Amino acid sequence: MIPLGWYLTLSATLFTIGLVGFIIRKDLIVMLMCLEIMFNAVNIAFASFSYYNASLTGQVFVLFTIAVAASEAAIGLAIVLALVRNTGINHSDEITQLRN
């Protein structure tokens, strides 16, 4: 049986990678992927706590979170693609207006 600390270490590492990537990178799609890495890191922590506490509520919450993250990713990707198509802007520091 793998100790809980290893799962939490993995979760913290993935969350840190996602956070650093989100802060450092300026490409909108890469920033969106870094957000998904952070969501999945939190899901790993929830699932591991749920497993070690022998409770299914955490795992159900993880499934709900995955569904919400999938819809968030679809909406975010659609917004980014519309922004790139309409303005040609792909970097977050080039965005100066949200409306014309």
Side-chain angles (χ1 to χ4, degrees):
M1 184 171 188
I2 299 174
L4 178 63
W6 289 21
Y7 287 113
L8 295 179
T9 303
L10 174 67
S11 175
T13 303
L14 284 175
F15 191 84
T16 304
I17 289 171
L19 183 64
V20 169
F22 185 80
I23 292 172
I24 290 176
R25 301 297 299 261
K26 300 296 180 193
D27 189 7
L28 292 174
I29 294 177
V30 173
M31 291 173 72
L32 191 64
M33 289 190 316
C34 290
L35 278 176
E36 292 301 319
I37 290 173
M38 289 191 284
F39 280 133
N40 287 326
V42 172
N43 285 335
I44 289 172
F46 276 138
S48 60
F49 276 123
S50 172
Y51 179 74
Y52 279 94
N53 288 328
S55 173
L56 287 178
T57 56
Q59 294 175 7
V60 170
F61 190 74
V62 167
L63 288 176
F64 178 74
T65 305
I66 289 172
V68 171
S71 62
E72 171 267 333
I75 293 171
L77 188 60
I79 291 171
V80 168
L81 288 179
L83 184 68
V84 170
R85 282 186 183 172
N86 291 333
T87 62
I89 295 173
N90 193 20
H91 292 94
S92 62
D93 55 351
E94 295 174 353
I95 300 172
T96 57
Q97 299 177 8
L98 291 178
R99 180 183 274 181
N100 295 333

